[in-house]
Amino acid sequence: MTTTDEEKIVAAAFEQGLLTVLFDQIAPLYVVTPQKKASIKFKQIAASIHDIGLVEPMVVARDPNSSDQFTLLDGHLRLEVLKDEGRTDARCLVSTDDEAFTYNKRINRLATIQEHKMILRALSLGVPEARLASALNINIRTLKQKRQLLDGICDEAAELLKDKQVALTGFQILKKMKPLRQIEAAQLMVAMNKYTINYARSLLAATPESLLLSVATPKKIKGISRDQLDLMERESANLEREVRLVEDSYGVDHLDLVLARGYISKLMSNDRVTRYLSLHHDGFLPAFEKITETEAFAS
């Protein structure tokens, strides 16, 4: 196939260049409620636009019945902020596909460590702290905490959590642990896919005092006795061992289950086999039918 043929087959996803579109010509897919406008996310976007302008253009698609009318695919909060500021138009990216689901599905939320690195980069380029805090809609104290996010976090733990949504307080809890325990805690967070503050606190509570920094000892958890803490430490250690054992065999076990399900599904599609099972092994038949209906192994 020649390059010319390939160019004919692959269509451009967007029209060339940005297009200034009047807000009256844009039809949103949903209404931004007052509750949404009161959210932290909306206030952050409003502060960013007010301080540095619209960085990411809204994405629209032309109405198939009217070329001067558009459907808003991405940027509903940005549109509301611009309207609140008295704007009547904005430069938009025009998509040739009106599939709005694609935009929401492919969004990668900014991880905590990635935000930290962006803040360091902005500060290194000379952006004043006050202006950066205003653009992020946070106070100076929070900005400094975000800037110092990885101070006291070992490189291995940071690498494990570099693309995860871990709360700022979660990192502060990890800083109370020694590097080896930080790595273990980060591994458990990833294995369990849990990055909440409460889970981080439970890991801290289950950490032996020998693996805590001096600033975190002696360990005292309100409402929990010393005996209960000792029990939590033992149970946590057992859980970590079990998680590692499961991780070691998970890939092989999953493959075996997929193959077994495929084999049983093939058997169950044969009328002679199902008739034989119903006559001679009726106890197996419901279990086999349940296995063939399971989608988890095939996904």
Side-chain angles (χ1 to χ4, degrees):
M1 181 179 290
T2 65
T3 303
T4 305
D5 292 334
E6 289 179 353
E7 290 175 349
K8 290 180 180 178
I9 293 173
V10 180
F14 300 95
E15 294 183 7
Q16 293 292 325
L18 298 176
L19 179 68
T20 300
V21 182
L22 294 171
F23 294 158
D24 291 341
Q25 297 174 285
I26 299 176
L29 293 175
Y30 62 86
V31 176
V32 177
T33 63
Q35 292 81 3
K36 192 71 174 179
K37 294 182 74 170
S39 67
I40 295 176
K41 183 65 175 177
F42 184 87
K43 291 177 181 178
Q44 287 178 331
I45 293 174
S48 176
I49 291 177
H50 177 75
D51 200 62
I52 60 178
L54 185 64
V55 176
E56 183 180 359
M58 296 178 291
V59 180
V60 298
R62 292 186 184 275
D63 188 317
N65 300 318
S66 179
S67 60
D68 61 349
Q69 296 296 314
F70 301 85
T71 300
L72 181 60
L73 302 181
D74 181 62
H76 288 73
L77 299 186
R78 279 166 274 163
L79 176 62
E80 288 302 312
V81 170
L82 293 173
K83 284 182 177 180
D84 290 346
E85 290 195 343
R87 294 274 297 274
T88 58
D89 61 44
R91 291 170 66 78
C92 300
L93 192 62
V94 182
S95 172
T96 56
D97 187 352
D98 64 353
E99 180 52 77
F101 176 73
T102 302
Y103 291 92
N104 293 329
K105 182 177 176 62
R106 303 305 175 191
I107 289 176
N108 289 321
R109 302 297 178 188
L110 187 65
T112 312
I113 291 180
Q114 292 171 343
E115 182 187 33
H116 157 77
K117 291 181 177 180
M118 288 179 62
I119 289 173
L120 291 182
R121 176 63 175 166
L123 292 173
S124 69
L125 293 175
V127 178
E129 285 189 349
R131 185 181 181 190
L132 187 56
S134 175
L136 295 174
N137 195 37
I138 57 177
N139 57 43
I140 295 294
R141 180 173 177 272
T142 302
L143 179 68
K144 289 181 178 179
Q145 290 176 339
K146 289 178 178 288
R147 185 186 65 193
Q148 299 167 352
L149 180 76
L150 296 183
D151 292 355
I153 300 292
C154 68
D155 294 340
E156 293 84 353
E159 179 66 21
L160 288 167
L161 301 175
K162 66 180 181 180
D163 57 350
K164 310 301 181 185
Q165 294 287 338
V166 184
L168 184 61
T169 304
F171 281 99
Q172 293 171 349
I173 292 171
L174 288 177
K175 291 178 183 181
K176 296 180 180 181
M177 308 174 188
K178 291 184 178 179
L180 181 61
R181 180 57 178 170
Q182 287 181 9
I183 297 171
E184 291 177 347
Q187 288 173 337
L188 280 173
M189 286 180 172
V190 173
M192 298 297 184
N193 195 29
K194 288 180 69 69
Y195 307 99
T196 63
I197 296 173
N198 285 337
Y199 187 60
R201 284 173 177 158
S202 70
L203 292 174
L204 177 65
T207 300
E209 290 187 355
S210 60
L211 293 178
L212 294 176
L213 297 176
S214 57
V215 293
T217 57
K219 182 172 58 177
K220 294 180 180 179
I221 308 295
K222 186 178 180 180
I224 301 179
S225 66
R226 181 67 256 180
D227 291 340
Q228 290 173 321
L229 281 174
D230 291 340
L231 178 61
M232 287 180 65
E233 291 173 6
R234 290 194 298 270
E235 292 296 330
S236 177
N238 291 334
L239 177 61
E240 289 173 29
R241 284 194 292 270
E242 291 174 4
V243 167
R244 290 193 177 95
L245 288 174
V246 171
E247 283 183 328
D248 291 341
S249 62
Y250 176 79
V252 175
D253 291 343
H254 188 270
L255 178 60
D256 290 342
L257 286 171
V258 171
L259 294 174
R261 180 186 180 277
Y263 178 70
I264 292 174
S265 297
K266 187 174 181 179
L267 288 179
M268 295 301 292
S269 65
N270 189 310
D271 293 337
R272 294 176 62 186
V273 172
T274 55
R275 186 165 57 251
Y276 178 84
L277 288 175
S278 63
L279 291 174
H280 303 284
H281 302 281
D282 58 340
F284 291 155
L285 191 59
F288 285 172
E289 289 176 343
K290 189 174 182 179
I291 291 174
T292 59
E293 293 171 358
T294 303
E295 297 293 337
F297 297 152
S299 61

